[in-house]
Amino acid sequence: MATGTARTQGRRRRDKTLDRARDEAARKRRRVRVAGLVLDPMSEGEVVDHVIASLKCGEGGHLVTPNVDIGWAVARDPEARELVENADLAVADGMPLVWAADLLGTPVPGRVTGADLIWSLSEAAAFYRYPVYLLGGPQGAARQAAARLLERHPRLDVVGADAPPPGFETTEEGYAKVKEDLLAAAPRVVFVGLGFPKQDRLIARLRQDMPATWFVGCGAAIAFAAGTARRAPMWMRRSGLEWLFRLINEPGRLARRYLLHDLPFALKLLTICLLRRLFS
């Protein structure tokens, strides 16, 4: 009897593995390419479901949310391109990428941002009791973000909240300290808010030692969740003007990036996509 039960359980596990492999193959076939970026055409809810399904199977991954700034970097830096290409999930965080995909005839469901995923993934993690870790943001922001997430989701298990000192990744000692803290905490979901490509280089290294953990490169999401940085009103996010709101609030830090790099890149991208649509 016990042998029969074990065989049944083994078949079920194999069936689940096969179903998972088929789903992964189907997802990769649906991927679209915009501005040199490979994107998964998934909604926020689909991303959350995908991550949770992976965690249930004991699998981890790397989630990247490309925006125009990342698109600009990928167009110029082969290493940045490789980081995005090697990610397990890549979803459009940036309305120009959503518009460009639509113009190319390969639409994506909409914008999926790290600033939103930190809430929705934490809600799912709280429900399924998967421990989470917050890494990055300004000093003190990770702990503030953890407190606010716990206010909304009291069942959430936050096993760590840390902002490593600037330049930690340039020394083996700095990297080893971050890795040791993570391994000791044993989270299943880690939000890494260090900015692209720094956060994604770190994730690529950490994944080797934590294959069952999902790492989410979330940029400023920890600061937003903490309340130390303000998000744009919803109408500005939906109309593709969140960059303008951030520029007004942080002109010294963002003026060069947005005005000299991102805005010209976005205009060029949309013009090329429009011409392809008109003359294809």
Side-chain angles (χ1 to χ4, degrees):
M1 186 72 174
T3 301
T5 301
R7 286 175 179 170
T8 300
Q9 290 174 342
R11 281 197 299 270
R12 286 175 180 170
R13 282 195 294 269
R14 286 194 296 272
D15 289 344
K16 286 182 179 179
T17 301
L18 286 171
D19 289 343
R20 178 82 182 143
R22 292 190 193 103
D23 290 343
E24 277 296 289
R27 179 182 64 81
K28 289 178 179 178
R29 284 196 299 271
R30 293 196 303 269
R31 282 182 155 182
V32 302
R33 186 171 288 275
V34 180
L37 296 163
V38 173
L39 299 176
D40 291 289
M42 302 170 73
S43 66
E44 182 181 344
E46 289 172 326
V47 170
V48 173
D49 289 345
H50 180 92
V51 171
I52 294 299
S54 295
L55 291 171
K56 287 180 179 179
C57 294
E59 301 170 359
H62 175 190
L63 170 60
V64 61
T65 57
N67 54 17
V68 169
D69 193 52
I70 292 177
W72 180 86
V74 163
R76 286 155 179 77
D77 183 354
E79 184 206 2
R81 179 186 297 274
E82 187 176 3
L83 286 170
V84 177
E85 294 276 357
N86 289 341
D88 298 278
L89 277 185
V91 288
D93 173 359
M95 286 307 299
L97 295 182
V98 175
W99 295 330
D102 189 49
L103 286 170
L104 291 171
T106 55
V108 296
R111 188 177 177 220
V112 182
T113 72
D116 293 321
L117 284 170
I118 196 171
W119 294 100
S120 54
L121 264 177
S122 291
E123 180 180 13
F127 182 83
Y128 289 102
R129 304 300 292 167
Y130 289 126
V132 305
Y133 196 107
L134 305 179
L135 180 66
Q139 285 298 318
R143 295 186 182 279
Q144 289 176 245
R148 295 185 70 179
L149 288 167
L150 284 166
E151 284 177 13
R152 187 176 297 186
H153 308 297
R155 283 167 50 89
L156 183 65
D157 184 14
V158 180
V159 292
D162 181 34
F168 77 94
E169 76 287 355
T170 62
T171 67
E172 282 305 312
E173 293 81 0
Y175 169 74
K177 175 66 166 60
V178 168
K179 186 177 79 169
E180 287 168 10
D181 289 346
L182 278 165
L183 289 173
R188 296 299 307 281
V189 179
V190 182
F191 296 100
V192 188
L194 299 169
F196 182 87
K198 180 177 175 179
Q199 65 194 14
D200 301 276
R201 290 195 197 106
L202 177 65
I203 290 170
R205 294 184 70 183
L206 292 170
R207 286 276 292 127
Q208 300 172 35
D209 296 291
M210 304 180 72
T213 297
W214 265 93
F215 291 86
V216 182
C218 63
I222 292 175
F224 288 140
T228 58
R230 292 172 58 206
R231 281 201 80 184
M234 186 59 73
W235 70 268
M236 294 188 83
R237 299 182 217 169
R238 289 175 176 166
S239 58
L241 292 174
E242 186 164 12
W243 67 272
L244 180 59
F245 181 86
R246 294 191 66 189
L247 176 62
I248 292 170
N249 281 273
E250 300 180 81
R253 188 172 73 87
L254 298 175
R256 179 179 179 83
R257 182 202 303 179
Y258 285 172
L259 298 180
L260 296 183
H261 299 161
D262 295 358
L263 186 58
F265 178 83
L267 292 173
K268 181 180 178 181
L269 169 65
L270 292 172
T271 300
I272 291 172
C273 291
L274 177 59
L275 291 173
R276 285 183 181 174
R277 177 162 185 164
L278 291 173
F279 296 103
S280 62

